[in-house]
Amino acid sequence: MALLITHECICCDICVPECPNEAITLGKKVCEIDPDKCTECVGHYPEPQCKQVCPMDCIVNDPAHRETPEQLMDKFNRLQKK
């Protein structure tokens, strides 16, 4: 499942450099996660790094992008080939 940053985000951008897939960018009001690039750090780390550093605890599972661990690993493998 890709992750989503909620409206509680203060756009501090601390999560941006933590994403190994470069899926997080600064939005107009909050940071945004590209679900096509987010693997929840599968393939890189045992847990999502953005969630570890977020001071607002505003990064949640995106219900619109449900994925199994296997699908996340497939996405990781596809991204590595680019």
Side-chain angles (χ1 to χ4, degrees), residues 5-6 22 34 43 46 51 53-54 56 65 70 72 79 82:
I5 298 176
T6 66
E22 299 178 353
D34 180 345
K51 289 179 87 168
V53 299
C54 180
M56 300 305 292
H65 295 93
E70 294 79 18
L72 291 170
L79 289 170
K82 288 184 178 183

Side-chain angles (χ1 to χ4, degrees), residues 12-80:
C12 67
D13 89 347
I14 198 166
C15 61
V16 174
E18 296 302 317
C19 181
N21 295 324
E22 299 178 353
I24 304 174
T25 56
L26 294 176
K28 291 183 180 182
K29 294 186 179 183
V30 300
C31 291
E32 298 172 354
I33 298 177
D34 180 345
D36 293 331
K37 293 182 178 179
C38 179
T39 63
E40 290 189 48
C41 289
V42 167
H44 294 283
Y45 303 104
E47 53 193 51
Q49 298 301 290
C50 58
K51 289 179 87 168
Q52 297 298 310
V53 299
C54 180
M56 300 305 292
D57 195 30
C58 63
I59 303 173
V60 298
N61 290 336
D62 185 348
H65 295 93
R66 297 185 184 275
E67 297 166 291
T68 66
E70 294 79 18
Q71 290 171 312
L72 291 170
M73 183 55 84
D74 288 344
K75 187 190 303 185
F76 164 78
N77 289 328
R78 280 193 315 274
L79 289 170
Q80 296 308 302

